[in-house]
């Protein structure tokens, strides 16, 4: 899970994915399974720069991309994000699934390897809530709040 909501953050994530690849699910195999990226972005971000930075990672070479859409007026529609991925990374398997929960479910249902969620802190938060919710990591409830 990584916010990676600007080109610099996406470049750092790309480097981390390549550094971590040997330790990720199947990464020690001669032909590890491809990553699955669930990606969503706000329309006012440098989306093409983010995609270009992520696509530079060796680990993203065969990645399956699931474009989704964060809620709100600033959100880039999932179909447009998917089109940008297709344009900037010809031949990449890309799906557009507008609803974040459905996109996360699709990733789990069809991922042959590691799932990466990035591009928006909202999507990261939703993935964390769904996949990593642990009562010990929740903020304490404040009486009267």
């Amino acid at each position: 899970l990584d916010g990676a909501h600007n080109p610099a953050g996406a470049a750092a994530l790309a480097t981390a994915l390549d550094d971590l690849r040997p330790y990720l699910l199947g990464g020690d195999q001669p032909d590890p399974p491809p990553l699955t990226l669930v990606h969503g972005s706000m329309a006012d971000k440098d989306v093409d720069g983010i995609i270009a930075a992520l696509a530079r990672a060796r680990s993203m070479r065969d990645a399956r991309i699931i474009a989704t859409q964060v809620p709100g007026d600033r959100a880039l529609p999932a179909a447009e994000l998917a089109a940008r991925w297709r344009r900037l990374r010809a031949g990449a398997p890309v799906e557009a699934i507008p609803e974040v929960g459905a996109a996360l479910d699709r990733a789990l249902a069809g991922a042959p390897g590691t799932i990466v969620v990035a591009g928006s802190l909202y999507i990261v938060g939703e993935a964390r809530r769904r996949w990593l919710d642990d009562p010990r990591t929740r903020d304490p409830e404040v009486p009267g709040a």
Side-chain angles (χ1 to χ4, degrees):
L1 305 176
D2 192 314
H5 60 274
N6 59 41
L13 174 58
T15 298
L17 290 173
D18 285 344
D19 289 348
L20 292 172
R21 187 69 175 143
Y23 307 102
L24 300 176
L25 179 66
D28 56 349
Q29 300 171 10
D31 221 1
L35 298 173
T36 296
L37 172 69
V38 179
H39 182 219
S41 183
M42 299 298 184
D44 58 359
K45 298 291 182 179
D46 179 3
V47 178
D48 291 347
I50 293 166
I51 293 170
L54 286 171
R56 281 194 282 276
R58 289 183 318 277
S59 298
M60 290 292 295
R61 191 168 299 134
D62 298 322
R64 174 176 155 239
I65 311 299
I66 299 175
T68 192
Q69 183 173 331
V70 300
D73 296 339
R74 292 178 46 223
L76 182 66
E80 185 177 334
L81 179 58
R84 288 185 184 201
W85 270 102
R86 288 183 192 106
R87 182 172 44 84
L88 293 170
R89 225 184 105 206
V94 181
E95 294 178 75
I97 302 176
E99 201 275 312
V100 174
L104 294 171
D105 291 344
R106 176 76 171 121
L108 279 177
T114 300
I115 299 171
V116 177
V117 178
S120 163
L121 294 176
Y122 174 84
I123 294 171
V124 167
E126 182 61 16
R128 187 179 187 292
R129 184 188 71 75
R130 286 172 165 257
W131 298 343
L132 303 174
D133 190 19
D134 181 333
R136 295 170 298 172
T137 63
R138 293 183 197 148
D139 289 334
E141 291 193 28
V142 177

